[in-house]
Amino acid sequence: MSRRLLAVIILLLNFKVMQAQDFQSKPLDKHTKIKIAYVDEPPFYWTEDSSVEGADIELAEAILHAIGITDIEYIHTTFENLLPGVQAGKWDMNVPIFVTSEREKTVAFSTPVWALVDGFVVLKGNPKNLTSYEAVGKRADVRLGLIPGQVQFEKAKAAGVNDSQIIMFKDQPEVIAALLEGKIDAFAATAIGNNSIAKANPQLESIPHQITDKEEIPVGAFSFNKESIALINAVNEQLCVYLGTEDHRTKMAKYGIIDTEIDPVVNKKY
């Protein structure tokens, strides 16, 4: 390598470091519009008429308002586009989703905001007695509906569910329609979310998965572009103050999210 080329490389590296330091030193502009991406997944987030509702929407607004940000725009997208979108800078943050080591490679997560177990949505009476991913894997005649990008795919595969048993759907409305039409036997998602689906569809039933005391309940968090240092720090600061308060618990209880889902993230230090 020539001295001239080495000098150019060093200059470029120094420039990158200066850019990163400059970025981190910039304060959060409270007058800037914050764009939040979401999908339709009650009770966490969904579109109702011309507004966006949900437990995590209320949480996001409580935190951003505490920071001083009042100009919030919601961007409706698909689940599989949440992480690529925020990574590419199409919006500023995503609604909470499960934190995984694979996802942490591409985005930065906030402190966790809830801990949720999985479950199935099945036809009323659970005709095929499906209570776990293992139960699905043992029956070749069972078809499991999943949504691309969600953690339930890896969980199902790890439990022995075959590719031939899995059918992918673009979003929750599409997979629920398939379940009602008998094209699949179960849909896997969070137990809390499944309760909302069953409540809205009397023909369906929510079956939570049982976990052992040794199992760690998966947690979820807001996600950001890794360079959004000021926003991430501001959100985390407010989350540490707000999570577990009476106001937080009251707001979440309206959506069926109670101490069971809140205490694991409040009591554990991350």
Side-chain angles (χ1 to χ4, degrees):
M1 180 182 298
S2 68
R3 290 183 179 181
R4 179 176 294 180
L5 179 57
L6 180 60
V8 170
I9 291 173
I10 292 173
L11 283 172
L12 288 173
L13 289 174
N14 287 336
F15 179 68
K16 288 291 185 181
V17 170
M18 290 174 64
Q19 277 188 317
Q21 290 174 340
D22 180 61
F23 183 90
Q24 293 182 41
S25 67
K26 291 180 180 177
L28 180 66
D29 185 351
K30 297 177 182 180
H31 300 291
T32 299
K33 177 187 291 185
I34 295 296
K35 297 181 180 180
I36 305 177
Y38 76 101
V39 297
D40 286 318
E41 200 168 298
F44 307 103
Y45 19 77
W46 75 91
T47 310
E48 186 170 311
D49 297 325
S50 59
S51 63
V52 184
E53 308 289 342
D56 289 336
I57 298 301
E58 286 206 36
L59 176 59
E61 291 179 352
I63 295 304
L64 291 176
H65 289 171
I67 294 170
I69 295 171
T70 56
D71 193 356
I72 303 171
E73 179 183 352
Y74 292 102
I75 309 295
H76 187 267
T77 187
T78 60
F79 192 92
E80 61 184 338
N81 284 326
L82 283 173
L83 298 186
V86 79
Q87 187 182 23
K90 293 181 178 180
W91 45 80
D92 302 292
M93 58 189 287
N94 289 324
V95 289
I97 61 174
F98 283 114
V99 179
T100 69
S101 57
E102 190 64 27
R103 290 172 176 175
E104 286 179 314
K105 294 177 182 178
T106 59
V107 299
F109 282 98
S110 70
T111 186
V113 300
W114 41 246
L116 302 174
V117 298
D118 275 1
F120 289 149
V121 181
V122 298
L123 291 175
K124 200 78 172 180
N126 194 10
K128 293 192 175 180
N129 193 30
L130 303 176
T131 57
S132 66
Y133 293 115
E134 288 80 6
V136 172
K138 291 177 181 178
R139 295 193 55 168
D141 63 322
V142 171
R143 298 293 176 265
L144 179 65
L146 297 173
I147 294 174
Q150 294 193 338
V151 297
Q152 285 75 23
F153 176 80
E154 296 299 333
K155 291 180 181 180
K157 292 289 292 178
V161 179
N162 295 320
D163 287 331
S164 61
Q165 295 179 273
I166 297 173
I167 301 178
M168 291 292 194
F169 297 88
K170 68 176 182 179
D171 54 27
Q172 196 174 98
E174 187 178 83
V175 71
I176 295 308
L179 181 58
L180 290 169
E181 293 168 7
K183 295 178 180 178
I184 57 174
D185 302 290
F187 165 52
T190 66
I192 290 287
N194 293 345
N195 291 341
S196 295
I197 295 172
K199 185 176 180 180
N201 297 274
Q203 312 97 307
L204 303 178
E205 182 177 350
S206 174
I207 306 292
H209 295 176
Q210 298 300 313
I211 63 170
T212 67
D213 293 336
K214 294 182 180 180
E215 289 183 75
E216 191 167 328
I217 303 175
V219 299
F222 295 102
S223 54
F224 310 80
N225 183 297
K226 287 188 175 184
E227 294 183 349
S228 300
I229 307 299
L231 179 58
I232 296 167
N233 288 342
V235 167
N236 279 336
E237 182 179 349
Q238 292 302 325
L239 283 173
C240 290
V241 173
Y242 185 68
L243 293 179
T245 63
E246 183 177 352
D247 186 68
H248 173 232
R249 293 179 190 274
T250 299
K251 279 183 167 63
M252 297 302 101
K254 295 184 300 182
Y255 302 94
I257 299 173
I258 56 176
D259 296 348
T260 309
E261 291 76 41
I262 295 172
D263 285 345
V265 298
V266 171
N267 299 333
K268 184 172 181 178
K269 300 299 182 182
Y270 290 91

